[in-house]
Amino acid sequence: MLIFFVFLLSLAYSGLMFYLWRGLLSKPRFTEFENLPEVSVIIPMRNEEAFIETTLNALKEQKYEGKWEVIVVNDRSTDKSPEIARKFCANHQKFSVIDIPLDSPQIASPKKRAMNAGFSAAKGEFLLTADADCVPPSGWLSSMAACYAGGASVVQGSKANNGGNRFLHAYQRLETLGFTLIEAAGFNRNKPILASSASIGYSKELFFKCGGFEGLYDLASGDDDMLIHRMAKVEGTKFAYNWDHNSIMPTAPVDSWKALLLQRARWGSNGAKYESKAYSAFLFCIYAFFVSLCILPWIYWHIFLCFFAIKLLADFLLLYHGAVRLKSVKLLWCLPLVELIQIPLFTAAVPLGMLGLYKWK
């Protein structure tokens, strides 16, 4: 019975990978643009004194001919990052800082509150967000704005983990590539599955029309995919994925396996809380497949190898095509080992997240 159950799950998982692979082959068409939109870049910041100046310097070097601004939202930082940001903004006209009051009530997702404050203060029609520890390349703003000006309502940018030669960092680079390609496939089909706030932009009008983060403040994550699922319900919303290799957003990896587990736990904490129950059921099926792959080696190790090989080949189908397009083929050398670690890590992270056994800033 268990083997038959796992067989069905493996078929469903392989079908999903094929669906995503087909999504990567899609080529959405958008019109040529004439007018550059006014852009507001929102940077939510909490205790980022080690990164914020580097991030702001990178934003200062953006090459964009239209009107743009950068709003740093200080989310009750207790380190020197507010002073660093204010000093920088005082010397650069396009940059400003707004503060979330220190006595603001504690909520599960203060990042959403910070982003909402930035969006409310923004002058631009196109809202771009990035994390305070990201270093956007100089063409990032113009490349994202071009997708929006071409007719997209929501634009997802590519991202990649940086870091050193440690296997922990290699693991995160490959996993991030996988998440990135799932984002791309959904956006290409105009049926988004995942999204990442490390590099995303959307119409200001659309954000407030769909209700923004209303009702999501008590969820630890969801400032990305939960939001775009709302936006997808608004008639006429068009999604675009920015494949421009020169605008890939570098993101910082975590530096310990424990930190990685806790990060994945936070990501998985809202699996049963999506507004679409069908989507939650879909996530449950994927999780059940991972759990079954954790159980099988202790009962039928040779059968486990068969199902593991199916998963490996299905993932490779998706990853190789995307890696070629994003010039990341070298990452695939460690795929089998990453898969062996990912299965128990993901299996453990979800219940930790559901129980709230993780820490955040």
Side-chain angles (χ1 to χ4, degrees):
M1 188 67 179
L2 174 62
I3 296 174
F4 180 69
F5 178 67
V6 180
F7 174 71
L8 292 179
L9 290 174
S10 68
L11 285 181
Y13 185 85
S14 299
L16 171 63
M17 291 302 107
F18 182 74
Y19 172 84
L20 294 172
W21 175 73
R22 291 281 297 172
L24 293 181
L25 300 179
S26 302
K27 295 181 179 180
R29 294 183 179 181
F30 296 95
T31 60
E32 293 294 327
F33 61 90
E34 296 181 359
N35 300 315
L36 295 173
E38 183 173 358
V39 182
S40 294
V41 182
I42 311 302
I43 308 293
M45 175 190 72
R46 178 168 171 80
N47 295 340
E48 295 286 2
E49 65 181 9
F51 302 102
I52 188 61
E53 187 168 12
T54 301
T55 299
L56 294 178
N57 273 312
L59 287 167
K60 182 189 67 174
E61 299 301 324
Q62 294 299 300
K63 299 175 181 177
Y64 185 60
E65 296 180 0
K67 292 183 179 180
W68 60 285
E69 64 174 345
V70 175
I71 301 174
V72 180
V73 185
N74 170 37
D75 182 18
R76 302 161 299 126
S77 296
T78 56
D79 64 359
K80 295 180 180 179
S81 51
E83 289 80 2
I84 296 171
R86 289 192 187 95
K87 182 178 179 181
F88 184 95
C89 294
N91 296 315
H92 297 88
Q93 188 176 2
K94 295 180 184 293
F95 292 70
S96 62
V97 178
I98 61 176
D99 296 288
I100 302 298
L102 288 172
D103 59 353
S104 296
Q106 185 61 38
I107 57 176
S109 182
K111 181 179 178 181
K112 296 191 191 79
R113 179 172 57 195
M115 292 173 68
N116 191 74
F119 294 162
S120 298
K123 300 175 182 177
E125 64 176 281
F126 182 48
L127 306 175
L128 263 179
T129 72
D131 293 336
D133 60 353
C134 290
V135 184
S138 60
W140 173 70
L141 196 160
S142 60
S143 183
M144 296 289 284
C147 293
Y148 173 77
S153 314
V154 186
V155 183
Q156 176 67 66
S158 297
K159 61 186 182 301
N161 276 114
N162 46 28
N165 295 323
R166 299 168 57 190
F167 175 70
L168 173 61
H169 291 172
Y171 175 95
Q172 292 173 79
R173 281 194 287 269
L174 186 54
E175 199 173 57
T176 297
L177 173 64
F179 292 141
T180 295
L181 297 178
I182 294 173
E183 293 168 5
F187 272 68
N188 277 4
R189 286 181 173 273
N190 214 52
K191 297 178 179 179
I193 300 172
L194 296 181
S196 171
S197 60
S199 177
I200 195 169
Y202 23 75
S203 156
K204 182 178 182 180
E205 179 183 1
L206 175 62
F207 174 79
F208 289 105
K209 185 176 182 179
C210 77
F213 297 125
E214 192 66 36
L216 302 178
Y217 291 108
D218 291 330
L219 303 179
S221 57
D223 52 284
D224 34 40
D225 47 343
M226 283 187 171
L227 178 61
I228 62 163
H229 289 178
R230 281 187 171 183
M231 291 178 168
K233 296 177 182 178
V234 178
E235 185 177 357
T237 300
K238 295 181 179 179
F239 295 87
Y241 192 81
N242 185 6
W243 285 100
D244 183 1
H245 182 261
N246 294 316
S247 67
I248 294 176
M249 178 71 77
T251 60
V254 298
D255 288 319
S256 73
W257 289 101
K258 179 181 178 181
L260 180 67
L261 175 62
L262 294 178
Q263 184 187 65
R264 298 302 186 263
R266 180 173 61 84
W267 291 359
S269 63
N270 297 328
K273 299 175 183 176
Y274 283 87
E275 293 177 345
S276 169
K277 299 305 177 185
Y279 184 71
S280 291
F282 160 75
L283 293 179
F284 175 79
C285 289
I286 295 177
Y287 181 66
F289 182 48
F290 275 71
V291 172
S292 65
L293 289 178
C294 276
I295 296 173
L296 272 180
W298 305 99
I299 307 174
Y300 311 108
W301 66 269
H302 53 293
I303 295 178
F304 161 77
L305 291 177
C306 293
F307 287 121
F308 177 74
I310 291 173
K311 181 182 184 303
L312 185 64
L313 290 173
D315 289 346
F316 182 81
L317 172 69
L318 176 72
L319 289 168
Y320 181 77
H321 177 83
V324 169
R325 196 162 182 178
L326 293 174
K327 301 180 182 179
S328 303
V329 175
K330 291 182 179 180
L331 293 178
L332 299 179
W333 70 267
C334 59
L335 179 60
L337 184 55
V338 165
E339 297 256 329
L340 284 171
I341 296 173
Q342 184 190 54
I343 292 169
L345 186 108
F346 181 62
T347 301
V350 171
L352 288 175
M354 300 288 282
L355 294 171
L357 300 177
Y358 59 88
K359 293 181 180 180
W360 187 233
K361 294 179 181 177

